[in-house]
């Protein structure tokens, strides 16, 4: 692998932190673990929501989930550069929340990779792909770093991580607090865990041969630099129904080659009440619902960003989200929420994610892109060319 010609060094950033001072530890639970410290979050009542979901299924006499047979999602073979140095800033969607980003100067980062058939503890049951993975891990030419937003199964997949370990052994993993123990238990030591607002410098130094010559291709560069920052978002972190909150969750900022990227991971924006079911939850009746303040804070202290990768799917019905058999309330966003995050974080351009791959909720498969265009128009923004969707496997240069 070309990536093996470089060795990685990770260190806390030496530049002064511009993180807000107030409330920096409010997300730490007494006794351990983490929480969402904002009025926009409501702790779920799994029993109450599960009962409501069962009643809804009985009343409608319909199998839970949308029709996944009649969709127009295109899956392409991705075009990923094998050249160590590139002048392009390219983001390629690999399905669900997985993006592969090539930064000018050569840094290659993979986000929330899940290449298995199911996002589940086992591969014989659980949410199954209805669109294929566009490639295999071994077909990705270079992976310098992998960013994990949280430890849910549709964002952290053991078989995929083992494939990365096998085919890209020098890839460095960046994870939120308490997630490192999962990687250590999986035999991975090149892992850095981080707190909200923490930043680390990431330096790839070109190795030399015994003859004093640089290893690698003639197009390589002696040093590749990046800055990785973990930022807040509104979600949870756990692998089972009983351990939510044991590991932190977050969004990511990456700077390299003069470009800055925001990866939102998986997040909520508001806690929408059940009374909104069938109504416009952005209407007058619900206009004062509290929103997560983290995104405006991110925009003020870390923005602007050249590109945002923001979820747009897994939101209906709005008052619950069913993930891995465990219902939770304000964990995901709809396209209107996504556009607000896009504006508050101060992204110049954005691409959608967290749709088109696994059945997690009930909205029609092709609804998120349509609703995204409507949400952009409602804000007086162009429907295309600013916050877009791409085919699975498609790359977009910015």
């Amino acid at each position: 692998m070309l990536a093996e010609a470089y060795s990685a060094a990770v260190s806390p950033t030496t530049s002064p932190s511009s993180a807000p001072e107030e409330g920096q530890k409010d997300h730490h639970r007494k006794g351990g673990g983490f929480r969402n410290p904002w009025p926009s979050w409501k702790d779920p009542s799994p029993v109450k929501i599960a009962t409501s979901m069962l009643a809804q299924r009985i009343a409608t006499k319909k199998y839970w989930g949308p029709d996944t047979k009649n969709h127009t999602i295109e899956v392409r073979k991705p075009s990923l550069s094998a050249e160590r140095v590139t002048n392009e800033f390219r983001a390629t969607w690999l399905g669900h929340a997985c993006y592969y980003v090539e930064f000018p100067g050569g840094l290659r980062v993979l986000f929330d990779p899940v290449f298995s058939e199911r996002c589940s503890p086992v591969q014989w049951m659980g949410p199954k792909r209805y669109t294929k993975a566009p490639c295999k891990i071994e077909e990705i030419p270079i992976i310098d770093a992998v960013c994990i937003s949280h430890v849910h199964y549709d964002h952290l997949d053991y078989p995929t991580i083992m494939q990365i370990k096998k085919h890209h052994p020098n890839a460095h993993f960046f994870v939120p607090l308490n997630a490192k123990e999962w990687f250590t238990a999986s035999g991975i030591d090149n892992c850095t865990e981080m707190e909200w607002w923490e930043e680390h410098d990431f330096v790839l130094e070109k190795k030399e041969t015994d003859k004093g010559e640089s290893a690698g291709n003639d197009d390589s560069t002696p040093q590749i630099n990046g800055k990785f920052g973990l930022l807040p978002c509104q979600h949870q972190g756990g692998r089972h129904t009983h351990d939510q909150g044991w590991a932190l969750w977050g969004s990511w900022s990456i700077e390299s080659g003069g470009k800055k990227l925001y990866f939102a991971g998986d997040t909520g924006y508001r806690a929408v009440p059940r009374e909104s079911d069938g109504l416009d939850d952005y209407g007058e009746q619900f206009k004062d619902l509290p929103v997560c303040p983290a995104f405006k804070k991110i925009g003020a202290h870390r923005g602007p960003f050249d590109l945002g990768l923001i979820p747009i799917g897994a939101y209906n019905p709005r008052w619950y989200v069913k993930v891995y058999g465990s219902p939770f309330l304000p964990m995901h966003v709809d396209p209107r929420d996504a556009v607000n995050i896009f504006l508050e974080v101060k992204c110049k351009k954005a691409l959608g994610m967290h749709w088109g791959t696994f059945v997690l909720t009930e909205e029609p498969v092709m609804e998120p892109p349509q609703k995204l265009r409507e949400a952009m128009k409602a804000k007086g923004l162009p429907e295309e060319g600013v916050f877009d969707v791409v085919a699975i496997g498609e790359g977009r240069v910015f």
Side-chain angles (χ1 to χ4, degrees), residues 359-374:
V359 173
L360 301 178
T361 45
E362 290 189 358
E363 73 271 5
V365 169
M366 297 306 298
E367 183 179 276
Q370 174 190 340
K371 295 292 186 183
L372 176 61
R373 291 189 294 270
E374 294 173 0

Side-chain angles (χ1 to χ4, degrees), residues 150-346:
H150 65 296
V151 298
H152 286 164
Y153 284 93
D154 61 327
H155 296 257
L156 177 60
D157 177 56
Y158 179 79
T160 299
I161 299 302
M162 291 300 98
Q163 285 295 302
I164 294 173
K165 178 185 176 184
K166 176 181 178 181
H167 296 286
H168 301 273
N170 289 342
H172 195 89
F173 291 84
F174 289 90
V175 303
L177 285 181
N178 286 4
K180 184 176 180 178
E181 64 182 63
W182 184 93
F183 285 85
T184 301
S186 301
I188 295 173
D189 297 321
N190 45 333
C191 182
T192 298
E193 65 177 13
M194 295 169 62
E195 167 70 289
W196 284 354
W197 301 107
E198 187 177 357
E199 290 183 315
H200 278 66
D201 289 325
F202 181 68
V203 179
L204 290 171
E205 293 278 4
K206 190 171 183 183
K207 294 179 180 179
E208 292 188 350
T209 65
D210 293 338
K211 297 179 180 180
E213 299 171 346
S214 295
N217 290 7
D218 292 337
D219 65 348
S220 57
T221 185
Q223 188 178 91
I224 297 172
N225 300 289
K227 180 179 289 186
F228 288 68
L230 184 67
L231 296 168
C233 68
Q234 181 170 289
H235 204 60
Q236 280 190 328
R239 300 289 275 181
H240 308 286
T241 58
H242 60 275
D243 67 355
Q244 297 302 311
W246 70 266
L248 188 58
W249 50 94
S251 55
W252 289 96
S253 67
I254 315 292
E255 295 181 59
S256 186
K259 296 294 184 180
K260 186 187 289 189
L261 176 87
Y262 175 69
F263 177 77
D266 200 353
T267 186
Y269 184 70
R270 301 179 298 154
V272 179
R274 183 171 182 178
E275 302 84 72
S276 69
D277 196 27
L279 302 174
D280 178 8
D281 58 66
Y282 265 94
E284 185 68 21
Q285 182 180 352
F286 306 104
K287 65 181 178 64
D288 295 324
L289 289 177
V291 303
C292 180
F295 302 106
K296 283 188 177 180
K297 196 171 289 188
I298 289 170
H301 292 274
R302 291 288 190 266
F305 295 90
D306 296 290
L307 176 64
L309 305 175
I310 301 174
I312 63 171
Y315 54 78
N316 188 54
R318 292 288 284 137
W319 53 271
Y320 75 76
V321 172
K322 184 174 184 291
V323 184
Y324 322 125
S326 303
F328 302 113
L329 285 169
M331 295 176 64
H332 290 171
V333 296
D334 75 355
R336 290 174 296 182
D337 299 333
V339 170
N340 284 331
I341 291 173
F342 164 77
L343 294 171
E344 291 176 8
V345 171
K346 299 181 181 178

Side-chain angles (χ1 to χ4, degrees), residues 66-76 93 128-132 355-359 363-369 391-392:
D67 174 17
T68 59
K69 295 180 181 179
N70 301 305
H71 64 76
T72 57
I73 300 172
E74 182 183 0
V75 180
R76 303 179 183 178
W93 187 36
K128 186 178 181 180
R129 286 181 176 274
Y130 59 88
T131 50
K132 294 183 180 296
W355 75 284
T357 311
F358 301 106
V359 173
E363 73 271 5
V365 169
M366 297 306 298
E367 183 179 276
I392 295 177

